[in-house]
């Protein structure tokens, strides 16, 4: 199983936080969930003041109100994943299901993780979904061997906000398969062959029975936090129901788990 999960006491979180960091480095777990056993007043401030126990955050936040998709960097650590019907075309604010992807797809220096901390998430749906890169490769060996072959041999450029990252979508050269993928951040000048492969993979991820059967869905409650090894997992989100702004609200940041300066 790729899931590591622990309860923590917000008044005394160190045992659980320390265990997480040690499991991050010393196990093959890839998704880490901290379940709060009591309320937290201000979730963002709480995790801000506990980064020292988890790792080093990296200021890569974006804000949809700042401009078009290529000009949304704020230089801040935290960004909102918050239902807001004013921005139906931005996954961070919509209630749509979000297709599987990695967060660092177009950022060469992206740290080893994303962390999300939950303010509220009561409505139906809205689970964060995961499939490990190794499981995905195993599924593809059976269901789509030629596509696997193409994705593991072809460099696929991603770009956005002035950054570009060129990796194989699936790098099979180590025991832990490395994945780098976000359909919506693919470079605009892909060759026709790259475009064909990218479209086929996007389609595969949404229709494959093996992907669906092996996708883990994690529902967060207030005070819970989740982090994952971004290069070893695809993640996404189930759609959810909401009628009021901010009905689902998570704080999100990029972070190097287990790196302490
Ligand atoms: Fe994401």
């Amino acid at each position: 199983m790729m899931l590591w999960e622990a309860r923590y006491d917000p008044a005394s979180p160190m045992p659980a936080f320390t265990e997480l960091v040690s499991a991050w480095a010393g196990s093959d777990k890839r998704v880490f969930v901290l379940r709060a056993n009591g309320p937290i007043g201000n979730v963002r401030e709480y995790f801000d003041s506990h980064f020292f126990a988890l790792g080093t955050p990296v200021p890569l936040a974006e804000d949809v109100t700042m401009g078009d998709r290529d000009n949304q960097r704020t230089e801040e650590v935290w960004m909102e994943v918050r239902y807001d019907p004013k921005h139906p075309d931005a996954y961070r604010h919509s209630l749509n299901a979000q297709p599987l992807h990695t967060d660092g797809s177009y950022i060469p220096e992206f740290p080893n993780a994303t962390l999300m901390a939950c303010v509220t998430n009561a409505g139906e749906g809205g689970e964060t979904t995961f499939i490990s890169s190794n499981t995905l490769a195993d599924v593809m060996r059976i269901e789509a061997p030629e596509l696997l072959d193409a994705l593991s041999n072809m460099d696929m450029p991603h770009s956005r906000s002035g950054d570009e990252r060129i990796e194989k979508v699936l790098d099979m050269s180590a025991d832990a398969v490395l994945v780098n993928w976000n359909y919506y951040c693919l470079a605009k000048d892909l060759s026709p062959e790259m475009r064909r492969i990218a479209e086929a993979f996007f389609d595969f991820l949404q229709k494959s029975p093996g992907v669906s059967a092996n996708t883990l869905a994690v529902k967060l409650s207030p005070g819970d936090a989740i982090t994952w090894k971004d290069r070893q997992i695809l993640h996404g989100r189930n759609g959810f129901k909401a009628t009021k702004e901010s009905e689902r609200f998570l704080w999100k940041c990029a972070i190097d788990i287990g790196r302490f300066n």
Side-chain angles (χ1 to χ4, degrees), residues 7-11 34-41 43 46 118 221-224:
R7 296 206 77 81
Y8 77 101
D9 175 359
L34 290 162
R35 301 280 188 191
N37 69 5
I40 293 180
V43 166
Y46 182 85
C118 178
S221 298
D224 292 353

Side-chain angles (χ1 to χ4, degrees), residues 29-237:
K29 304 294 183 190
R30 298 184 181 194
V31 179
F32 300 77
V33 182
L34 290 162
R35 301 280 188 191
N37 69 5
I40 293 180
N42 184 318
V43 166
R44 171 180 164 163
E45 278 176 16
Y46 182 85
F47 282 92
D48 233 18
S49 63
H50 288 88
F51 278 139
F52 73 90
L54 292 169
T56 305
V58 181
L60 288 169
E62 296 177 356
D63 181 342
V64 73
T65 63
M66 285 185 61
D68 65 39
R69 275 171 57 81
D70 283 323
N71 295 286
Q72 298 183 355
R73 282 281 170 76
T74 63
E75 315 284 319
E76 305 274 324
V77 165
W78 292 102
M79 64 183 129
E80 296 180 340
V81 178
R82 183 178 65 81
Y83 174 60
D84 184 346
K86 288 194 293 297
H87 304 290
D89 296 329
Y91 282 117
R92 274 189 293 113
H93 299 296
S94 79
L95 40 65
N96 303 331
Q98 183 175 19
L100 293 163
H101 64 283
T102 57
D103 282 345
S105 69
Y106 60 94
I107 304 172
E109 73 280 17
F110 198 79
N112 62 20
T114 291
L115 181 139
M116 293 200 303
C118 178
V119 178
T120 174
N121 185 28
E124 187 183 328
E127 297 87 358
T128 310
T129 56
F130 298 95
I131 184 166
S132 109
S133 55
N134 287 65
T135 304
L136 173 64
D138 290 343
V139 167
M140 294 186 77
R141 274 187 201 100
I142 296 164
E143 295 184 16
E146 286 168 18
L147 185 56
L148 175 63
D149 198 47
L151 291 170
S152 57
N153 284 298
M154 173 188 285
D155 284 326
M156 188 72 80
H158 288 71
S159 66
R160 189 178 164 184
S161 300
D163 287 315
E164 182 178 53
R165 181 168 186 168
I166 300 174
E167 305 271 1
K168 293 175 174 62
V169 173
L170 292 165
D171 179 343
M172 313 282 287
S173 60
D175 287 349
V177 173
L178 299 180
V179 60
N180 195 70
W181 171 255
N182 187 331
Y183 177 78
Y184 297 103
C185 299
L186 289 165
K188 293 184 176 73
D189 58 353
L190 292 188
S191 71
E193 177 62 0
M194 286 175 186
R195 176 53 65 182
R196 186 183 70 77
I197 298 295
E199 294 292 342
F201 186 48
F202 186 62
D203 194 58
F204 175 82
L205 287 174
Q206 305 197 57
K207 292 180 182 158
S208 152
V211 167
S212 157
N214 287 285
T215 296
L216 170 76
V218 180
K219 176 87 176 180
L220 299 178
S221 298
D224 292 353
I226 190 165
T227 185
W228 60 88
K229 295 177 178 172
D230 193 52
R231 286 283 266 142
Q232 298 181 25
I233 289 172
L234 288 170
H235 68 277
R237 174 183 78 208

